[in-house]
Amino acid sequence: MKIAIVGLGYVGLPLCLQFARSGVSVVGLDIDPAKVNACNDGRSYIRHIPSEAIREQISSGRFAAAVDFDCIKAVEAVIICVPTPLNKNREPDISYIVSTGRTIAPHLTKGILVVLESTTYPGTTDEDLRQVLEAGSGLRAGVDFHLAFSPEREDPGNPASKVENIPKVVGGYTPACLERAKALYSQAIKTVVPVSSCRVAEATKLLENIFRGVNIALVNELKTVYTSMGIDVWEVINAAKTKPFGYMPFYPGPGLGGHCIPIDPFYLTWKAREYGKNTRFIELAGEINTAMPEYVVNRVAEALNVLHKPVNGSRILILGLAYKPNVDDDRESPSYHLMELLKQRGAEIAYYDPHVPVIRPSREHSHWAGTKSIPWNREAISSFDLVLIATAHDGVSYKELAEWANCIVDTRNVMTELRLPPGKVWKA
Ligand SMILES: NC(=O)c1ccc[n+]([C@@H]2O[C@H](COP(=O)([O-])OP(=O)(O)OC[C@H]3O[C@@H](n4cnc5c(N)ncnc54)[C@H](O)[C@@H]3O)[C@@H](O)[C@H]2O)c1
């Protein structure tokens, strides 16, 4: 079997490798020639995917990357894994899906299966994508070609989470589409979970991410309440999670980050308006979570105040730029919000992140592009008035940090076990 996977990013690349490992011939398509060349040279550009894993599949002959979409004529299935961001008005931007649809449509052949994996609102696959594919190919979905939606459940940086072991939800445009999609994924994924439509599959992914966003907001709010009562919210969560039923721990932090949780819930908010419905839980959670960087910055100001220092003119180090531990992905990272807010208050800002040696150019943070991580040594760390822990990477020595730093604000509860003298560490 030969398939094409469009979008060689955090979702598409591991999926290509998993299909190739399962004996399927995969061509990975991307508009970014740098990624295509890197794949074909066996060089990884994603930290948690080793180059060796790519080289193995390239040399097996089952994986190749290309920028030319002509090869779609010769494949049995196309899986689309392109970005779904929000635009500057925080509305869904499905332009990457639409443009992929326009590009692949003229190459579709009778009997081919097209699956969308990008997270999006219910109706994208059977309305927006279907219309583009039908218009550009002259074929009809469910009659001449098969169409399905299957959400990705990638957990970057978690070594225990392997693509083949994560159950895959699949919804088809017709029962026959579902059968084709089930047959495709069963070749590479152990458990396939069929649902009755593309819309149910789209809605399932949104439920999963909204659930996280809302629960993180809940513990973030409890953090501010309990802190003002002199109660440590992390101690409370650790005690609560000993309950063997009816409770699942979520942890507070400096704000939401990454390509999913800060963005996906608002795809539903936007679509719900079409049906005259409001998504109050989502909006409240968004409000609480986006207020977190400001809360953390106020804690920084309190900590500096005790040292008789104003934020203005203080040297502050942000520890961790990636949005979650042990990855190099800094998309939507709350660290950028913290850096902006502190800079606005006159602080001198630097960062340390072993996985992000230099800030890459991006649309959102162009003015930070080229800024480099400081080195990790006593002289560098002790030169800051305060270190703000935003992301708790495993590779960082928090013992050295405790020895070298003058004052620490900890948003991840990583310093607790070191039992430092009062006043040195502020939880935020
Ligand atoms: N990163 C995650 O952990 C994660 C988890 C679950 C779901 N998702 C969802 O999966 C989708 C992809 O996310 P990602 O993190 O892999 O994004 P990404 O930015 O890492 O990768 C997307 C890739 O698509 C390519 N691309 C863009 N437009 C294209 C086009 N027209 N034709 C071909 N290639 C094109 C880009 O060059 C890029 O390489 C999003 O909808 C996201 O919400 C991501």
Side-chain angles (χ1 to χ4, degrees):
M1 185 177 195
K2 188 163 184 181
I3 66 168
I5 294 182
V6 183
L8 292 170
Y10 285 86
V11 168
L13 180 57
L15 197 63
C16 286
L17 299 178
Q18 178 52 25
F19 270 107
R21 276 193 293 269
S22 312
V24 175
S25 252
V26 186
V27 53
L29 296 169
D30 205 292
I31 47 171
D32 181 349
K35 284 187 179 152
V36 167
N37 291 338
C39 283
N40 288 331
D41 295 346
R43 269 185 292 112
S44 179
Y45 42 87
I46 297 176
R47 205 190 82 83
H48 59 274
I49 299 177
S51 294
E52 184 53 29
I54 302 178
R55 272 199 298 274
E56 263 173 33
Q57 298 314 320
I58 294 280
S59 48
S60 77
R62 285 191 300 271
F63 175 45
V67 284
D68 184 355
F69 284 58
D70 220 32
C71 61
I72 286 179
K73 287 194 182 82
V75 301
E76 289 165 57
V78 185
I79 300 176
I80 303 171
C81 311
V82 295
T84 43
L86 294 173
N87 67 18
K88 64 179 182 348
N89 300 323
R90 299 195 62 74
E91 289 167 346
D93 172 6
I94 63 159
S95 62
Y96 297 87
I97 297 177
V98 171
S99 91
T100 301
R102 286 207 184 105
T103 312
I104 67 173
H107 304 292
L108 296 185
T109 49
K110 276 203 167 182
I112 198 169
L113 165 68
V114 179
V115 189
L116 179 63
E117 288 217 5
S118 306
T119 309
T120 185
Y121 53 78
T124 311
T125 308
D126 66 16
E127 272 174 23
D128 307 86
L129 180 60
R130 180 179 61 79
Q131 281 164 14
V132 171
L133 294 176
E134 289 183 344
S137 65
L139 301 174
R140 280 183 57 211
V143 178
D144 303 312
F145 70 94
H146 295 104
L147 183 61
F149 181 83
S150 178
E152 181 52 49
R153 285 170 162 167
E154 176 75 359
D155 188 9
N158 176 358
S161 164
K162 299 226 175 333
V163 180
E164 68 266 37
N165 295 331
I166 304 172
K168 196 104 177 72
V169 172
V170 182
Y173 181 53
T174 64
C177 295
L178 174 61
E179 287 311 310
R180 274 294 304 276
K182 271 167 57 188
L184 168 70
Y185 284 110
S186 301
Q187 301 200 38
I189 311 285
K190 283 190 187 138
T191 311
V192 175
V193 183
V195 293
S196 62
S197 64
C198 299
R199 288 173 187 234
V200 169
E202 288 161 334
T204 303
K205 175 70 188 178
L206 292 180
L207 167 62
E208 291 166 11
N209 285 352
I210 291 163
F211 174 76
R212 277 190 70 72
V214 166
N215 279 289
I216 292 169
L218 174 66
V219 287
N220 274 333
E221 183 168 80
L222 291 180
K223 170 179 74 174
T224 66
V225 174
Y226 286 159
T227 301
S228 65
M229 294 175 172
I231 297 167
D232 181 338
V233 72
W234 283 273
E235 193 183 347
V236 173
I237 294 169
N238 285 337
K241 78 178 186 194
T242 60
K243 185 180 179 188
F245 48 87
Y247 183 79
M248 175 189 271
F250 285 85
Y251 296 95
L256 295 181
H259 192 338
C260 298
I261 314 296
I263 294 172
D264 303 343
F266 297 99
Y267 268 65
L268 187 63
T269 298
W270 180 84
K271 192 67 179 174
R273 277 190 221 122
E274 195 181 306
Y275 294 81
K277 296 287 178 207
N278 293 318
T279 54
R280 286 180 293 163
F281 262 111
I282 295 173
E283 305 214 35
L284 178 60
E287 203 181 295
I288 293 170
N289 288 328
T290 51
M292 275 308 115
E294 190 73 48
Y295 170 83
V296 170
V297 164
N298 287 337
R299 292 287 282 171
V300 167
E302 269 182 75
L304 286 171
N305 196 38
V306 170
L307 301 172
H308 307 283
K309 291 177 183 172
V311 176
N312 194 349
S314 284
R315 281 172 51 75
I316 298 177
L317 179 71
I318 306 290
L319 181 47
L321 200 65
Y323 79 91
K324 66 183 279 192
N326 313 325
V327 302
D328 59 355
D329 188 352
D330 61 348
R331 289 176 296 175
E332 306 282 326
S333 173
S335 300
Y336 285 108
H337 296 290
L338 296 170
M339 282 160 49
E340 292 303 338
L341 290 171
L342 289 165
K343 199 168 159 223
Q344 276 164 21
R345 294 198 191 187
E348 211 183 296
I349 300 295
Y351 82 94
Y352 172 74
D353 192 314
H355 307 307
V356 189
V358 57
I359 298 180
R360 292 162 289 222
S362 69
R363 232 178 349 161
E364 302 90 39
H365 319 294
S366 53
H367 53 294
W368 293 106
T371 309
K372 290 191 173 132
S373 167
I374 62 142
W376 183 261
N377 58 49
R378 182 187 294 271
E379 195 192 347
I381 302 296
S382 62
S383 72
F384 289 92
D385 296 296
L386 183 144
V387 178
L388 170 53
I389 302 173
T391 311
H393 291 305
D394 288 341
V396 172
S397 167
Y398 296 101
K399 202 161 160 281
E400 285 175 347
L401 179 69
E403 268 172 50
W404 300 343
N406 293 306
C407 176
I408 299 165
V409 172
D410 180 5
T411 68
R412 300 294 184 180
N413 197 36
V414 281
M415 301 305 290
T416 301
E417 284 184 6
L418 296 171
R419 304 193 188 288
L420 298 176
K424 175 107 183 198
V425 178
W426 291 65
K427 292 194 185 187

